[in-house]
Amino acid sequence: MRRKTMVSLLILALMLTGLLAACSSKEENTPDKKNDTQKEENKGNSAGKEENKGESAGKEEKVSGTVKVVLPGDAPKDLENVKKAIEDKMHADGLDLNLEFTYFPWDQYNNKLNLIAASGEKYDLAWTHVSWLSQIVSKHVVAPLDDWLETNGKELKESIPSANWSSSSIDNKIYGIPTLVPTAENNNFFAIRGDLRKKYNLPEIQTLADFEAYLDAIKKNEKGMVPIANDGSRALLREFGNVYLPLGDMGAGPGYIDPADPELKVRNFYDSDIFKNIVNTKRKWYVNGWMPKDAQEIKDPEAALNNGKLGAIWSNVLKTTERIDAFKKTLPDGTLEDVFLNPDKPKYVFDAASNLLSVFATSKNPEGAVAFINWFRSNQENYDLFSYGVKDVNYIMDGSAISVEGIGEQQSYNQVYWAWDDIRLKHFSKHISPEFVETLQKWDDGAAEAPTLGFRFNADPVKAEIAQISAVEKEYVDSAYAGFTDYDQFFPKFQSKLKSAGIDKVIAEMQKQLDEFLAAKK
C-alpha cells in the first residue's frame, strides 16, 4: 500500500478507520453499494459531463476471452469446480471471461515472473509485492494499469483510497491493484504458541528479552520442538531502529531511511548497526539451539507449527487470522499469539500497500484481467466466491464467522486470498475473537505517517548494479539471518563485494529520487 501528497495521507488515515469499521456491517458498506450511493449523489453533477464525453476516454471496453492467472504455492484441491462456479457467475453478470490458473512453488515464484516476461509467455495476471515493484517495473515484467482502470476498473478506482494507489505506483503510473488492510508496520511480527507461554508462566511478550525467555523455555521444556524457524528477521527491525527499505523485503535491502531522521538520508543498511545487531541476535539464537541446525531441519515452517514441532514463526498483522484454522485442526487446544516488539515505540505507516495483483507486460488480455478484479473486488458475493469458494461446498458460515469444519479434503479450497484481501469484505474464523478483530480494525489508529509515504524507488537507472547486489545478498544474507555465520568473519568480504557491485551508486540514486519526491511534496 502507498503514497502522494500530505492531503492524500490524511485521507488515508480517515478512510482506513472507516473502512476497517465497515467489517462489522458488510451488507451496508460493500464497495458496490457504496459506489451506487455515490453515483446517485453525483448524478446531477456528472450527467452533463457524461453527455460530452463522446465515444472516447473512460468508456468501458467489452471484454472476453481467457484471463491466465499466476499465483504462488499449490493449487487448491477443488480449484476446477470453483473456477467453473466463478465463470458461470461472471457469464451471468455479463462478463464474458474464462479463467486459467497456474501455481508456481514459493522458491521459484519470483524467477518465474521474470522468465514469463523475458520469454513473452502469454500470462495475464499475477500476485506481486510492493517490495519488488521497482525491480519488476524496470525489467518490464508488469504493465501500468491506469488506462484499463479508467475503462474496466472504475469501481476499483473509486473505492480504493488515493494513497493506496500512490503506494502501488512508480512515476505516477499504477502497477498493481492493492489490498486494503491494516498497514502500520504490518510485517514486523512474530507469532508464538500462547498456550505454551502461559504454561511456563511467562509474561506477555513486549521486549526482546521477553521473547528470548520464551524461546529458551521451549528449548528446555518441549523436547522435539524447535523454538523458532530461521525466519522472521523483519520483526527485529523495531528492536534496533526505525527502518524503511525502498528496495528489499524481510528485513534487508541495500539502503534504508529512518523516518525520524530530520535529514532523511538514505544510508547503507548493511553498514548499519541495525544489520549488525540483527545478525548477532540470530547468531545467538542459533548457537543457543533456538533455531534450526541446518536449512533442511524445518522445510515447511507452517506445517511444523501446525504439527507441534515449532514454537514461534514469522507473522504479520493479518497472518494469524489466515493460519488459525489449519493450526486449530491439528492442535485444537493450542493458541496463537502475535508478538509485536516494543509496542510503545512509534509505529509507522511506511507504505499504504503491500500485496498487489499486477498485469504482465506481455499480457494478451489486460483489459479482461482488470475487469475480473473489478468484478470480484466490488461485490461481496463475488469476493466470497473467488476467495473462499462455493458456500456450503467449500466453506460454511457459522453466524458471521467463516468455517471449513466438515468440509472434505477434496472440497478444500485453500486459496491465497491474502493476495487481494479487502478488510471491508473479509470474513474471519470463529477462532478469531471479537476483541482481536477490533484490534485489527483499530490497528492504524495513532500510527505515524512516515515522511517517505508515497515514495517508490525506480530501479531502472541502476538495474545492473541491483542485479549484482542481489547476487551478493543471496550469497551472504540468507545464511547470516539463519544464524549460520559469524558477523565478524563474513562481513569484510561481504562489504567489499557490495562495494564492487555498486551499492554506493544505488544509494546515491535512491537519495536523488527521494530528494525529488520530497521537493515535489512541498
Short mmCIF file of all heavy atoms in Angstrom, two decimals, residues 16 74 80 153 247 259 335 470:
data_model
loop_
_atom_site.label_atom_id
_atom_site.label_comp_id
_atom_site.label_asym_id
_atom_site.label_seq_id
_atom_site.Cartn_x
_atom_site.Cartn_y
_atom_site.Cartn_z
N LEU A 16 -9.20 4.73 6.18
CA LEU A 16 -8.92 3.38 6.68
C LEU A 16 -9.71 3.11 7.95
O LEU A 16 -10.21 2.01 8.18
CB LEU A 16 -7.43 3.21 6.94
CG LEU A 16 -6.60 2.81 5.72
CD1 LEU A 16 -5.14 2.67 6.10
CD2 LEU A 16 -7.11 1.52 5.10
N ASP A 74 0.57 -24.02 -3.91
CA ASP A 74 -0.08 -25.17 -4.52
C ASP A 74 -1.52 -24.84 -4.91
O ASP A 74 -2.20 -24.10 -4.22
CB ASP A 74 -0.09 -26.36 -3.55
CG ASP A 74 1.31 -26.81 -3.17
OD1 ASP A 74 2.18 -26.84 -4.06
OD2 ASP A 74 1.54 -27.11 -1.98
N GLU A 80 -10.92 -26.61 -9.78
CA GLU A 80 -11.66 -26.70 -11.04
C GLU A 80 -13.15 -26.43 -10.85
O GLU A 80 -13.78 -25.74 -11.64
CB GLU A 80 -11.44 -28.07 -11.69
CG GLU A 80 -10.07 -28.23 -12.33
CD GLU A 80 -9.80 -27.16 -13.38
OE1 GLU A 80 -10.68 -26.94 -14.25
OE2 GLU A 80 -8.74 -26.53 -13.31
N GLY A 153 -11.98 -0.78 -14.72
CA GLY A 153 -11.79 -0.87 -13.28
C GLY A 153 -12.32 0.33 -12.53
O GLY A 153 -11.74 0.76 -11.53
N LEU A 247 13.96 -0.63 -1.19
CA LEU A 247 14.20 -1.80 -2.04
C LEU A 247 14.55 -2.97 -1.14
O LEU A 247 15.48 -2.88 -0.33
CB LEU A 247 15.34 -1.52 -3.02
CG LEU A 247 15.68 -2.60 -4.04
CD1 LEU A 247 14.56 -2.78 -5.04
CD2 LEU A 247 16.97 -2.23 -4.77
N PRO A 259 12.68 7.18 9.37
CA PRO A 259 11.66 8.23 9.23
C PRO A 259 11.78 9.33 10.28
O PRO A 259 11.21 10.42 10.10
CB PRO A 259 10.35 7.46 9.39
CG PRO A 259 10.72 6.24 10.16
CD PRO A 259 12.10 5.89 9.72
N THR A 335 -3.09 -22.26 21.20
CA THR A 335 -3.46 -20.88 20.86
C THR A 335 -2.27 -20.19 20.19
O THR A 335 -1.11 -20.53 20.46
CB THR A 335 -3.90 -20.06 22.09
OG1 THR A 335 -2.82 -20.02 23.03
CG2 THR A 335 -5.13 -20.67 22.73
N SER A 470 21.98 -8.09 -5.64
CA SER A 470 21.09 -9.19 -5.29
C SER A 470 21.85 -10.51 -5.23
O SER A 470 21.58 -11.35 -4.35
CB SER A 470 19.94 -9.28 -6.31
OG SER A 470 19.13 -8.14 -6.26
#
